[in-house]
Amino acid sequence: VDAGALFNPQFLPPRQWINPIRGLTPARAVQLIEAGQFGYKADLMWTYAATERKEPVLRALKDRRLSAIKKLQWTIRVKDSYRERHENDPFIQDTVEEQKQILEDVYESVDNLTDALRWMALATFRGFAHLEKHVDEDGMMFHLEPVPQWYWSFSYPIRDWLFNPQAMQTNSGARIEPDAFVIRECEDPLDEIALIIFLRKNLSKKDWDMFVETFGVPSIFAVCADPNMRS
């Protein structure tokens, strides 16, 4: 583990006991989304993660995406156009192959490359994803630590990613060195759409359950006619 890393995955956030789905309404969801546009990300990301666990279709999409990435193989490739342009220059060809081998060695030294790529795929759902680079004493990267989205916020109006170690609902935090992270962003995350759909469906089911609980329970009283009585 890199002793100088900002994020320690062993510590759980103080919000661990909060259930963001309980009492959630469409108005509250819109409020969270709007606050997220100004850098208040923690509550929104916590809600997104809970929705991914509760919404069957969204959960299936997420599982399929992550499982597909897990099966992929990676390789370092040189652009064909570059090879063709310098095919008669043996010095450049040797240099390219040397750089290609160095990159392969760097990526092979990362102990969780596949898991890191799967984490980056969550940006499609949540809007962004961060990996913190862990380096050894020689400055070589050996690990990419996923940092959950609720630990992040950003400043406004000049947007800089800020690390929020307590996962609080704020747009302040510690400034980071961008070169120490791998960051992927998505302007139109799936969870923003899925959250509203989930709430509409969930609230409709809740209303139906309340109706059934009130009017759908059979009465325990019965009126029985005396068989000896004649009409």
Side-chain angles (χ1 to χ4, degrees):
V1 178
D2 185 356
L6 285 177
F7 174 66
N8 187 342
Q10 299 300 319
F11 289 101
L12 297 175
R15 61 176 50 246
Q16 194 70 24
W17 57 275
I18 298 176
N19 180 1
I21 300 298
R22 180 175 297 169
L24 185 64
T25 63
R28 171 61 176 165
V30 172
Q31 181 186 24
L32 291 175
I33 294 172
E34 291 177 345
Q37 297 174 355
F38 294 91
Y40 296 85
K41 293 290 188 180
D43 284 354
L44 178 62
M45 295 299 117
W46 194 253
T47 304
Y48 279 170
T51 305
E52 291 168 8
R53 295 192 299 269
K54 300 295 184 181
E55 169 55 39
V57 175
L58 182 61
R59 182 172 179 176
L61 287 174
K62 178 181 173 182
D63 288 347
R64 292 187 64 179
R65 171 65 63 88
L66 297 184
S67 62
I69 292 176
K70 188 175 182 179
K71 298 176 183 178
L72 295 178
Q73 301 294 323
W74 65 270
T75 185
I76 304 296
R77 295 182 59 184
V78 181
K79 289 184 177 180
D80 294 336
S81 59
Y82 190 85
R83 284 187 180 278
E84 293 172 359
R85 190 163 62 249
H86 301 283
E87 61 182 352
N88 297 324
D89 191 333
F91 174 76
I92 291 183
Q93 291 288 346
D94 292 342
T95 303
V96 167
E97 290 301 323
E98 181 180 357
Q99 292 179 347
K100 180 175 179 290
Q101 184 60 50
I102 291 174
L103 287 174
E104 289 178 350
D105 293 342
V106 169
Y107 280 96
E108 286 178 353
S109 66
V110 178
D111 59 4
N112 66 330
L113 184 59
T114 299
D115 290 337
L117 293 174
R118 296 175 74 224
W119 180 260
M120 297 303 284
L122 288 181
T124 301
F125 295 86
R126 302 179 185 177
F128 60 91
H130 291 69
L131 293 168
E132 186 173 13
K133 299 176 184 177
H134 287 203
V135 296
D136 58 21
E137 296 177 353
D138 298 325
M140 294 295 294
M141 183 174 62
F142 65 90
H143 182 76
L144 291 168
E145 182 63 45
V147 183
Q149 283 81 0
W150 41 89
Y151 285 101
W152 294 101
S153 60
F154 62 71
S155 58
Y156 180 86
I158 300 176
R159 196 193 70 172
D160 290 319
W161 285 110
L162 305 173
F163 180 67
N164 174 15
Q166 296 298 317
M168 304 297 289
Q169 178 70 348
T170 179
N171 67 343
S172 62
R175 295 189 179 275
I176 64 170
E177 179 57 48
D179 291 341
F181 290 83
V182 180
I183 305 172
R184 178 175 177 246
E185 301 181 42
C186 179
E187 294 183 356
D188 50 352
L190 288 176
D191 284 358
E192 184 173 325
I193 303 172
L195 178 59
I196 302 300
I197 296 175
F198 166 74
L199 284 174
R200 287 175 176 171
K201 183 171 65 175
N202 190 52
L203 291 176
S204 297
K205 288 183 177 179
K206 184 183 296 184
D207 289 343
W208 174 248
D209 290 342
M210 292 175 62
F211 176 85
V212 171
E213 183 178 1
T214 304
F215 301 102
V217 179
S219 174
I220 61 174
F221 300 100
V223 178
C224 299
D226 187 348
N228 297 321
M229 292 181 62
R230 296 182 179 180
S231 59

